[in-house]
Amino acid sequence: MRRPRGWTLASLALAAALLLGTAAAQGIPSQGIPPAERHSGFDQMAPETRAMQADDTANPGMLWVQDGAELFARAPSPERPACAGCHTESAMRGVAGRYPAWDEGAGQPVDLEGRINLCRARHQAATPLPREGRDLLALSAYLGHLSRGRPLAPPDDPRLAPARAEGRALFETPMGQLGFSCAACHDAQWGRRLGASTIPQGHPTGYPLYRLEWQDLGSLERRLRNCLTGMRAEPLTPGSAEAVALTLYLMQRAAPLAVETPAVRP
């Protein structure tokens, strides 16, 4: 949530408490939003921000997409293949909307960034790229861009059911010193205003995305970390099972909205 000028964290917390009332402390069961009523955060943005996202020549996130395309085509070493040596662009269209997914070798769900790093280790003998590092963001943005316009469609794989349930529990459970849950805002109060900001439904349609507040491209994990910090809760460890589980639930909750990567947000 972007902090309006002149607002302190304490005043934002008070405003949130007044808006959410006792529901936040009690927890909000996440009934989900019916597919026909699901809206991207794009719909709530100012016209000039929507225009920035829609125009690839004005969208700052396209700089990362270009870097990602170069990394995808470049071999990490002379003895190892480039990503493009195994995967064609046409075959990768839609892939970003199908993660997190189950990984046989790891025996657990992995998100898109985790899959990129597993491929690097298994097939390229390369070291994992750091989370929130430019190269991993660039590759994720490039793959997301290839999937732009395709629906979010996390796999209907029974092995993912425990992680999806864990993600839903994380979404519904009050956290931190303020006792808020994700659902208290994004299910129960979406469309209302908190300070100068409209509360979105919270669908991860455009990550990694360029946030004007950050003046940078960032992952969904970065946004979750911002939210949890604002709730005065302990942030999730990047790439952890809990972070992947919450991502999986959010993707399921947003389906079948279209991938927008790289989105632009205030």
Side-chain angles (χ1 to χ4, degrees):
M1 179 177 62
R2 189 179 185 184
R3 185 186 302 178
R5 290 184 179 179
W7 282 59
T8 65
L9 184 59
S11 59
L12 281 173
L14 176 59
L18 291 173
L19 174 62
L20 301 178
T22 59
Q26 295 170 353
I28 297 289
S30 178
Q31 303 300 325
I33 299 169
E37 298 176 21
R38 293 173 189 171
H39 301 289
S40 163
F42 179 88
D43 301 335
Q44 297 174 321
M45 295 192 307
E48 56 270 21
T49 312
R50 292 199 299 268
M52 182 184 295
Q53 177 176 316
D55 182 354
D56 283 350
T57 65
N59 185 334
M62 291 302 298
L63 297 173
W64 281 261
V65 171
Q66 293 168 9
D67 287 350
E70 293 176 6
L71 289 168
F72 192 81
R74 183 195 311 157
S77 67
E79 299 80 20
R80 295 291 176 174
C83 303
C86 296
H87 307 288
T88 64
E89 281 193 358
S90 59
M92 300 306 289
R93 298 190 190 282
V95 165
R98 299 196 291 270
Y99 274 83
W102 185 264
D103 184 82
E104 292 281 357
Q108 63 186 24
V110 297
D111 58 12
L112 182 61
E113 292 83 359
R115 188 70 180 90
I116 291 170
N117 274 332
L118 285 172
C119 275
R120 285 177 59 81
R122 292 169 179 170
H123 307 300
Q124 296 179 315
T127 57
L129 298 170
R131 297 257 172 175
E132 293 304 319
R134 187 175 179 97
D135 285 355
L136 188 56
L137 285 171
L139 280 167
S140 301
Y142 171 67
L143 295 175
H145 184 254
L146 288 179
S147 299
R148 190 167 64 177
R150 304 293 179 93
L152 295 176
D156 185 17
D157 185 334
R159 294 172 296 182
L160 296 173
R164 189 178 293 111
E166 180 182 7
R168 177 171 178 167
L170 287 167
F171 188 83
E172 295 177 352
T173 301
M175 300 182 191
Q177 294 177 340
L178 300 180
F180 295 158
S181 70
C182 308
C185 279
H186 300 297
D187 271 2
Q189 304 291 345
W190 71 267
R192 299 183 68 182
R193 297 190 72 81
L194 182 58
S197 301
T198 300
I199 300 173
Q201 292 181 349
H203 297 308
T205 52
Y207 288 92
L209 57 74
Y210 189 90
R211 195 168 180 85
L212 300 177
E213 180 182 16
W214 298 337
Q215 291 292 290
D216 194 9
L217 197 82
S219 69
L220 175 60
E221 284 188 342
R222 180 175 178 180
R223 187 70 187 100
L224 294 175
R225 187 161 60 248
N226 285 174
C227 282
L228 289 168
T229 300
M231 294 156 61
R232 299 183 186 175
E234 188 71 26
L236 301 175
T237 301
S240 66
E242 293 83 1
V244 172
L246 183 53
T247 299
L248 175 61
Y249 176 69
L250 290 174
M251 295 288 275
Q252 185 69 53
R253 178 177 172 272
L257 293 175
V259 176
E260 301 174 42
T261 310
V264 177
R265 293 293 184 266

